[in-house]
Amino acid sequence: MAAAMRREIDFLLYDWLKVETLIGTAAFPEQDRQDWDAFLDLSGAISANEFLPCYKIADRDEPQLVNGDVHVQPDIKQALHTYMQAGLHLATVDTALGGMGFPFAIATGAMTEVMAANVAASGFVMLSIANARVIADFGTPEQVATFAQPQFDGTALGTMCLSEPDVGSSLGDITTKAAPDGTDTLGARYRLSGRKMWISAGDQDVSDNIVHLVLAKAVQPDGTTLPGPKGTSLFIVPKILPDGSRNDIAVAGLNHKMGYRGTPNCLLNFGEKDGAIGWRIGAEGDGLKIMFQMMNEARTNVGLSGAAMAYRGYELSRQYAAERIQGRPAHDKTQAKPVAILQHPDVRRMLLQQKALSEGALALCLKAALLCDLANTAPDAPTRQAADSLLGLLTPVIKSWPSEQGLVSLHQAIQIHGGYGYTRDFDVEQLYRDSRLNPIHEGTTGIQAIDLMGRKILSDRGRCFADFIAQIRASAANADPDFAEQAGQLAGLADLFETTVSQLLADGSAADALSNATAFLDAFGLCVVAWIWLDMAQEKTWACRYFYAVEVPKIPGLLAPLSTHQSLTRDVPDHVLV
Amino acid sequence: MAAAMRREIDFLLYDWLKVETLIGTAAFPEQDRQDWDAFLDLSGAISANEFLPCYKIADRDEPQLVNGDVHVQPDIKQALHTYMQAGLHLATVDTALGGMGFPFAIATGAMTEVMAANVAASGFVMLSIANARVIADFGTPEQVATFAQPQFDGTALGTMCLSEPDVGSSLGDITTKAAPDGTDTLGARYRLSGRKMWISAGDQDVSDNIVHLVLAKAVQPDGTTLPGPKGTSLFIVPKILPDGSRNDIAVAGLNHKMGYRGTPNCLLNFGEKDGAIGWRIGAEGDGLKIMFQMMNEARTNVGLSGAAMAYRGYELSRQYAAERIQGRPAHDKTQAKPVAILQHPDVRRMLLQQKALSEGALALCLKAALLCDLANTAPDAPTRQAADSLLGLLTPVIKSWPSEQGLVSLHQAIQIHGGYGYTRDFDVEQLYRDSRLNPIHEGTTGIQAIDLMGRKILSDRGRCFADFIAQIRASAANADPDFAEQAGQLAGLADLFETTVSQLLADGSAADALSNATAFLDAFGLCVVAWIWLDMAQEKTWACRYFYAVEVPKIPGLLAPLSTHQSLTRDVPDHVLV
């Protein structure tokens, strides 16, 4: 399987996205494709030889909480050590900090194979690098040396502590408190107390130390905390303090999940005794703002994991459909002997759907990674600004479309495997369970929809959206004449979405727009991926044709709730619902 | 939860379907609603007090294979004993055989609660009754007394042994052989040898004996077997023979499933030694034909279980959404305090969708049960014929729509529960895993689609389909004026499907029609349930409005592949797919 996935990644990075155009720019002065390929080779080999073999084992042997400490399945621990000893977690880290300074696009390509092989293992690394990057970007030099550097060295791993048992999506309402406790070389010191829920890798025995980034409310001189998002600040709270003593953090319990079981998911109690010691990073009140850098990176990674698992499911389906002999095609029963199920039109339909959804999702995620590179490193400001703006608009789609459609794709992978696909003997069963987390963590699909409609479209008065529609029109106008039919459909989508959004922006309809945000997100996600498919049409003719024949026609139906009965969900009386 | 589900069942049976009109007909001369209500009460109580408490336990403690025998989790065993000791499995069994002789509609209503509480437990009973009914309908009096009666008495349970490791959907290709072995009081005796896969309750320690109905190929005088479906015959093969000795049947292994874990799923080896002794039921070559009675009953039950689990997921969501306090509605952030998530428009949308899908699916299944009663017992032949014909057309929808849409509904149940819904502490997690079997067993969704398109529409030259379209038109024409908009949409669907099917019936397009059968099934399922929703509109205004505003508009998009690129899946070269 590894070979096909790597070919796909190479195609997307080099042939489609032309990542090599980054070479020689100020940010990547001395890199070349040979460096990147060596990195992709090694990462692919560790994915296949270390992470994949413990995929099922880590599902079966869940992390255990023993005497207050969490023990992770040993094979997954060993695989992570191998990966970090090879320094592969440092792909995107600045060379000044000891990293490779590679483009995000290249690192994302390599991460696809890690996630496809063992998404639970990938979680440890992804969170840690995103955590360390926040410290590197917003911390003092002492904070970077003490808390980011060990993560780069592989002796510590990091977490993101936002949710609480009663607060998931509305982070302004958290109640964890941080009481000022003087200042030292690491900055303003605090004592934290509160409970943090859903903390992936919140405790583990993979690394010597754990660096938590904790969102909490700084206690004001009058003893109160400030309400809402502006009352939140961010704190670095290590499991082991710089003096070697253990911080006041207790694992109150482990969540037992449907899938993704290799990553422990913890309820952490901070400050059961004297208060957990932490140091503020950034200014007071900037907690959510800073955290959103990590959150956006995490959201992109969730989308990528959805794409990666869907792609692996597609590969398993391909192999199974070619090998499994059964029945005769419904439209041609004359064959004396049973055929490979690949010959059944409905199996071909499911394979094409898996191909179109998983390759489309992966293309979207790698394009997002390149946009990230351009936003950070493009030589000219307009390019940086345009990339940043498009990435912001698309982030809810990048997070949610591969998450939701990855599940649809894996649903078909199970169907192709028949009863076997429903058993734990086949990896598609676990891929489906693991993937089910994606529409939930780092902001549910509904939250992504509100982000798209509220922050990215309504608050922006549709400016960034209009730029994107212009890009779609240009793509349709410049499409290969062989795909004139599909280009016409895409141009039609540009008109449809332009009209829809201008109606949403009309005065007084914000409540309707926000109430129907998920329907819009579903439709818009298809439009974005349709744009991507037309761009790849020449190399991937059949999947593009499939996407425009089967998926694109669903868009008008999905948008229907935005033009009729717009206030239905607000108008329905409570007693009908509960 | 039980109260709401029971109210829903009562509404559907008595107010909507008017099941009481059956009372006094020849088949139900001395029954009344009081009898039925007492039965529904008892069944509901056992569901709540016996089956529900072991729902999670039976998932955690899977059946074990110990020294060749399968041991089922004790609580589920006890619950089944209580249920059968109360005689509740006999609801639809003829009074002449010791049953209650109740309408299928009433029995189906009661079964909804059993399935909602513990679908794995329900499997034992459903299979057994369907098995015993086949024996009662097609067996000799001796066969009925020896193999059906113990199942009615509760001392034996039955199975359906069709699939083999290499043969699932193409039963004409089975290789299990039955060699003639003389004749005795139980009929033509055979020695069977072969392997049967995916046998639910294939071995268990719930009942003293197990009665397998085994599809096999009778060995001809020349030592060969006949190819294809016409070579198959059906055999009764008990685990314990009438003389008390053990038959030659070995449990070769258990399948370890994603869900539905309370029911053991076995690989059975028949005839590892001298051949398993079995008696033919019905004529040689009639195996598949007879088996299809059981299969159709099983398919209806799969649909019902999908509806029942989706409905339970809806109830859990309702309760959670009313109790869980978090955030402020996206369209109105002015509230100082967080609100119940029920107040968020997107949560309301998900609740409405769950309501519309789960109640719609349940209505479809109970209507199917009533059609079954009418087909069997209506006083006049035209009514019986019309009911039978409609039931045949709708069976693929009854099996697949609640199976697929039940999963969509449970997807939303998990979303409403957020991270909690992904943990095994909440039943929605298990309902989702359990439900994932439904699009597979008793004929995958793809197989249902081919049945609908091939057997029910093309082979019938669209006659039965035309009758159904006429019914839809009549419903639209007679709809309440308050729902004129929805009636107009339904009339439009009648036109759309009429046109679509007439194109499919045009000469030479059968291959295209069969290749796009699943797209047609998806669209047609929505149409059927739209018809049902309009019929319930007066009592369930909001769910009907939701269905026509959000679900019905999806239909044209789903049908798109039938009018463009019809041969896409056949034309795509193999190398693109594998």
Side-chain angles (χ1 to χ4, degrees):
Chain A
M1 80 120 183
M5 195 177 299
R6 175 60 186 281
R7 273 197 308 275
E8 181 66 21
I9 291 164
D10 281 351
F11 161 75
L12 291 170
L13 290 177
Y14 296 124
D15 301 324
W16 181 55
L17 293 171
K18 310 204 185 320
V19 175
E20 284 170 283
T21 54
L22 293 174
I23 293 174
T25 61
F28 312 104
E30 291 177 2
Q31 299 178 15
D32 62 22
R33 178 165 171 174
Q34 224 173 330
D35 301 331
W36 297 345
D37 281 349
F39 162 70
L40 286 162
D41 290 347
L42 182 58
S43 184
I46 291 179
S47 299
N49 303 328
E50 303 284 332
F51 286 122
L52 187 60
C54 61
Y55 182 56
K56 293 194 86 66
I57 298 167
D59 180 66
R60 191 191 59 206
D61 301 340
E62 284 184 291
Q64 299 293 321
L65 178 59
V66 182
N67 298 328
D69 290 316
V70 175
H71 297 274
V72 170
Q73 197 280 328
D75 294 8
I76 209 171
K77 219 160 82 175
Q78 180 55 50
L80 282 165
H81 287 161
T82 304
Y83 183 82
M84 289 191 291
Q85 275 158 18
L88 297 182
H89 59 305
L90 299 172
T92 57
V93 172
D94 262 10
T95 49
L97 294 163
M100 302 182 203
F102 281 175
F104 271 87
I106 297 296
T108 304
M111 185 47 66
T112 307
E113 289 195 89
V114 178
M115 286 173 163
N118 196 324
V119 72
S122 76
F124 291 88
V125 177
M126 300 308 315
L127 280 167
S128 193
I129 289 303
N131 171 310
R133 203 185 328 271
V134 165
I135 297 174
D137 289 352
F138 296 96
T140 64
E142 291 77 11
Q143 288 175 339
V144 175
T146 310
F147 301 117
Q149 200 59 53
Q151 298 192 64
F152 297 141
D153 298 342
T155 57
L157 287 167
T159 77
M160 167 162 66
C161 300
L162 306 175
S163 298
E164 299 179 359
D166 290 325
V167 181
S169 303
S170 60
L171 290 170
D173 293 323
I174 57 166
T175 62
T176 296
K177 286 186 176 60
D181 187 39
T183 300
D184 59 24
T185 53
L186 289 167
R189 198 175 58 220
Y190 290 78
R191 294 274 179 167
L192 281 85
S193 55
R195 309 175 79 201
K196 290 292 177 181
M197 183 76 170
W198 311 119
I199 310 308
S200 287
D203 193 48
Q204 36 80 6
D205 54 356
V206 178
S207 59
D208 298 340
N209 201 1
I210 302 175
V211 178
H212 302 289
L213 279 177
V214 183
L215 198 71
K217 297 212 159 177
V219 178
Q220 301 303 302
D222 67 357
T224 64
T225 59
L226 302 176
K230 286 175 185 161
T232 64
S233 304
L234 194 61
F235 302 88
I236 307 174
V237 188
K239 176 178 176 177
I240 308 292
L241 290 162
D243 68 4
S245 66
R246 197 148 171 172
N247 208 348
D248 184 7
I249 308 169
V251 184
L254 289 177
N255 291 306
H256 296 98
K257 295 167 288 179
M258 178 191 292
Y260 236 102
R261 295 190 190 176
T263 317
N265 188 276
C266 308
L267 172 59
L268 297 181
N269 285 357
F270 290 84
E272 283 184 345
K273 299 170 201 152
D274 305 327
I277 294 173
W279 291 268
R280 201 183 67 230
I281 176 166
E284 210 177 289
D286 278 357
L288 262 181
K289 207 177 76 184
I290 298 175
M291 210 59 209
F292 249 83
Q293 170 177 315
M294 183 166 180
M295 180 61 92
N296 278 330
E297 190 168 336
R299 284 180 176 177
T300 307
N301 281 317
V302 170
L304 181 67
S305 78
M309 288 190 272
Y311 192 84
R312 177 140 194 268
Y314 168 49
E315 290 196 308
L316 293 167
S317 290
R318 288 159 71 169
Q319 194 179 332
Y320 189 82
E323 289 170 2
R324 170 79 174 170
I325 308 293
Q326 190 173 189
R328 291 142 199 89
H331 65 287
D332 177 12
K333 293 277 192 192
T334 56
Q335 280 143 295
K337 287 199 175 170
V339 299
I341 62 170
L342 172 66
Q343 299 309 325
H344 296 288
D346 199 55
V347 172
R348 299 171 86 81
R349 172 189 68 85
M350 292 191 279
L351 286 171
L352 260 182
Q353 186 176 28
Q354 284 187 261
K355 180 181 177 70
L357 298 185
S358 65
E359 292 183 359
L362 186 54
L364 172 67
C365 293
L366 292 183
K367 188 175 182 74
L370 182 62
L371 284 174
C372 191
D373 287 317
L374 293 175
N376 291 337
T377 73
D380 60 305
T383 303
R384 287 200 300 276
Q385 175 52 40
D388 188 63
S389 164
L390 181 56
L391 186 61
L393 178 69
L394 295 187
T395 295
V397 174
I398 295 159
K399 196 279 176 179
S400 64
W401 201 84
S403 295
E404 297 282 352
Q405 299 304 310
L407 271 171
V408 172
S409 185
L410 286 164
H411 181 87
Q412 303 296 30
I414 291 179
Q415 288 302 106
I416 285 178
H417 283 72
Y420 293 98
Y422 191 68
T423 68
R424 274 125 61 200
D425 295 331
F426 286 74
D427 281 5
V428 291
E429 185 271 342
Q430 187 180 337
L431 288 165
Y432 184 76
R433 280 188 292 109
D434 287 354
S435 291
R436 184 60 190 84
L437 181 58
N438 289 335
I440 302 172
H441 63 164
E442 319 308 351
T444 62
T445 299
I447 293 289
Q448 301 307 316
I450 291 170
D451 180 47
L452 174 64
M453 183 62 79
R455 193 170 303 147
K456 307 295 169 59
I457 296 181
L458 297 183
S459 299
D460 183 55
R461 299 299 305 157
R463 279 183 291 261
C464 174
F465 189 82
D467 292 343
F468 180 62
I469 293 296
Q471 278 198 53
I472 286 194
R473 279 221 175 86
S475 297
N478 298 324
D480 188 307
D482 289 349
F483 297 91
E485 179 190 344
Q486 288 80 8
Q489 286 179 270
L490 186 62
L493 291 182
D495 297 344
L496 176 62
F497 278 94
E498 192 171 59
T499 308
T500 303
V501 166
S502 71
Q503 281 163 358
L504 296 175
L505 287 167
D507 285 346
S509 65
D512 287 347
L514 288 164
S515 299
N516 294 290
T518 303
F520 183 84
L521 174 67
D522 289 345
F524 184 58
L526 278 175
C527 172
V528 170
V529 180
W531 170 61
I532 285 176
W533 269 118
L534 187 62
D535 205 38
M536 303 192 293
Q538 206 146 36
E539 298 87 357
K540 291 173 172 286
T541 303
W542 289 94
C544 174
R545 278 190 201 155
Y546 164 85
F547 204 83
Y548 279 84
V550 178
E551 302 294 336
V552 168
K554 294 175 182 170
I555 292 175
L558 293 172
L559 287 175
L562 284 105
S563 54
T564 65
H565 302 270
Q566 298 96 330
S567 60
L568 182 77
T569 55
R570 300 201 308 287
D571 295 342
V572 56
D574 287 2
H575 72 84
V576 171
L577 295 175
V578 296
Chain B
M1 79 120 185
M5 194 177 298
R6 175 60 186 279
R7 272 198 307 276
E8 181 66 20
I9 292 164
D10 281 351
F11 162 74
L12 291 170
L13 290 177
Y14 296 123
D15 300 324
W16 180 55
L17 293 171
K18 309 203 186 321
V19 175
E20 283 170 285
T21 55
L22 293 174
I23 293 174
T25 60
F28 311 104
E30 290 177 1
Q31 298 178 15
D32 61 24
R33 179 164 171 173
Q34 224 173 330
D35 301 331
W36 296 346
D37 282 349
F39 162 69
L40 286 162
D41 290 347
L42 182 58
S43 184
I46 291 179
S47 300
N49 303 327
E50 303 283 333
F51 286 122
L52 186 60
C54 61
Y55 182 56
K56 293 195 85 65
I57 298 167
D59 179 68
R60 191 191 60 206
D61 301 340
E62 283 184 292
Q64 300 292 323
L65 178 58
V66 182
N67 298 327
D69 289 316
V70 175
H71 297 274
V72 171
Q73 197 280 328
D75 294 8
I76 209 170
K77 218 161 82 175
Q78 180 54 50
L80 282 164
H81 286 161
T82 304
Y83 183 82
M84 290 191 290
Q85 274 158 16
L88 297 182
H89 60 304
L90 299 172
T92 57
V93 173
D94 262 9
T95 49
L97 293 162
M100 302 182 204
F102 280 175
F104 271 86
I106 297 297
T108 304
M111 185 48 65
T112 307
E113 290 196 87
V114 178
M115 287 172 162
N118 197 323
V119 73
S122 77
F124 291 88
V125 177
M126 299 308 314
L127 280 167
S128 193
I129 288 303
N131 171 309
R133 204 186 327 272
V134 164
I135 297 175
D137 289 352
F138 296 95
T140 64
E142 291 76 12
Q143 289 175 338
V144 175
T146 310
F147 300 118
Q149 200 60 52
Q151 298 192 63
F152 297 140
D153 298 342
T155 57
L157 287 166
T159 77
M160 168 162 66
C161 300
L162 283 66
S163 297
E164 297 178 359
D166 291 324
V167 181
S169 303
S170 61
L171 290 169
D173 292 323
I174 57 166
T175 62
T176 296
K177 286 186 176 60
D181 186 39
T183 299
D184 60 24
T185 54
L186 289 168
R189 198 176 57 221
Y190 291 78
R191 296 274 180 168
L192 280 85
S193 56
R195 309 175 78 202
K196 290 291 177 181
M197 183 74 170
W198 310 118
I199 310 308
S200 287
D203 194 47
Q204 36 81 3
D205 54 357
V206 178
S207 59
D208 299 339
N209 201 2
I210 302 175
V211 178
H212 303 288
L213 280 177
V214 183
L215 198 71
K217 297 212 159 179
V219 177
Q220 300 303 302
D222 66 359
T224 65
T225 59
L226 301 177
K230 285 174 185 161
T232 63
S233 303
L234 193 62
F235 303 89
I236 307 173
V237 188
K239 175 179 178 179
I240 308 293
L241 290 161
D243 67 6
S245 66
R246 196 146 171 172
N247 208 347
D248 184 8
I249 309 169
V251 184
L254 289 177
N255 291 306
H256 296 98
K257 294 167 288 179
M258 178 191 293
Y260 237 101
R261 296 190 188 175
T263 316
N265 187 276
C266 308
L267 172 59
L268 296 181
N269 285 357
F270 288 86
E272 283 184 346
K273 300 170 200 152
D274 305 327
I277 294 173
W279 290 268
R280 201 184 67 232
I281 176 166
E284 210 178 288
D286 279 356
L288 262 181
K289 206 176 75 183
I290 297 175
M291 211 59 209
F292 250 83
Q293 169 176 316
M294 185 165 180
M295 180 61 92
N296 278 329
E297 189 167 338
R299 286 180 174 177
T300 307
N301 280 318
V302 170
L304 181 67
S305 78
M309 287 189 273
Y311 193 84
R312 177 139 193 270
Y314 169 49
E315 290 197 308
L316 293 168
S317 290
R318 288 160 71 169
Q319 194 179 333
Y320 189 82
E323 289 170 2
R324 170 79 174 171
I325 308 294
Q326 190 174 188
R328 290 142 200 90
H331 65 287
D332 178 12
K333 293 277 190 191
T334 55
Q335 280 142 297
K337 289 199 173 167
V339 300
I341 61 170
L342 171 67
Q343 299 308 325
H344 296 288
D346 199 56
V347 172
R348 298 171 86 81
R349 172 190 68 85
M350 292 191 277
L351 286 170
L352 260 181
Q353 186 177 28
Q354 284 188 261
K355 181 182 176 69
L357 298 184
S358 65
E359 291 183 0
L362 185 54
L364 172 67
C365 293
L366 292 183
K367 188 174 182 74
L370 182 63
L371 284 174
C372 191
D373 286 316
L374 293 175
N376 291 338
T377 74
D380 60 306
T383 303
R384 288 199 300 275
Q385 176 52 41
D388 188 62
S389 164
L390 181 56
L391 186 62
L393 177 71
L394 295 187
T395 295
V397 174
I398 296 158
K399 197 278 177 182
S400 64
W401 201 84
S403 295
E404 297 282 353
Q405 298 305 312
L407 271 170
V408 172
S409 184
L410 286 164
H411 181 87
Q412 303 296 31
I414 290 179
Q415 288 303 105
I416 285 178
H417 283 73
Y420 293 98
Y422 192 66
T423 68
R424 275 125 62 201
D425 294 331
F426 285 74
D427 281 6
V428 290
E429 185 272 342
Q430 187 181 337
L431 288 165
Y432 185 76
R433 282 189 289 109
D434 288 354
S435 291
R436 184 59 190 84
L437 181 58
N438 289 335
I440 302 172
H441 64 164
E442 319 307 353
T444 62
T445 299
I447 293 289
Q448 302 306 316
I450 291 169
D451 179 47
L452 174 65
M453 183 62 78
R455 194 170 303 146
K456 307 294 171 58
I457 295 182
L458 297 182
S459 299
D460 183 55
R461 299 299 305 157
R463 278 182 292 261
C464 175
F465 189 82
D467 292 344
F468 179 62
I469 294 295
Q471 277 198 55
I472 285 193
R473 279 221 176 84
S475 297
N478 298 324
D480 189 308
D482 288 348
F483 297 92
E485 179 190 344
Q486 288 79 9
Q489 286 179 271
L490 185 63
L493 291 181
D495 296 345
L496 176 63
F497 278 93
E498 192 171 59
T499 307
T500 302
V501 166
S502 72
Q503 282 163 358
L504 296 175
L505 286 167
D507 283 347
S509 65
D512 286 348
L514 287 164
S515 299
N516 294 291
T518 304
F520 183 84
L521 175 66
D522 289 345
F524 184 58
L526 278 175
C527 173
V528 170
V529 180
W531 169 61
I532 285 175
W533 269 117
L534 188 62
D535 206 37
M536 302 193 293
Q538 206 145 37
E539 298 87 358
K540 291 172 172 286
T541 303
W542 288 94
C544 174
R545 278 191 200 154
Y546 164 85
F547 204 84
Y548 279 84
V550 178
E551 302 294 336
V552 168
K554 295 176 181 169
I555 292 175
L558 293 172
L559 287 175
L562 284 106
S563 53
T564 65
H565 302 270
Q566 299 95 330
S567 60
L568 182 77
T569 56
R570 300 201 309 285
D571 295 342
V572 57
D574 286 1
H575 72 83
V576 171
L577 296 176
V578 296

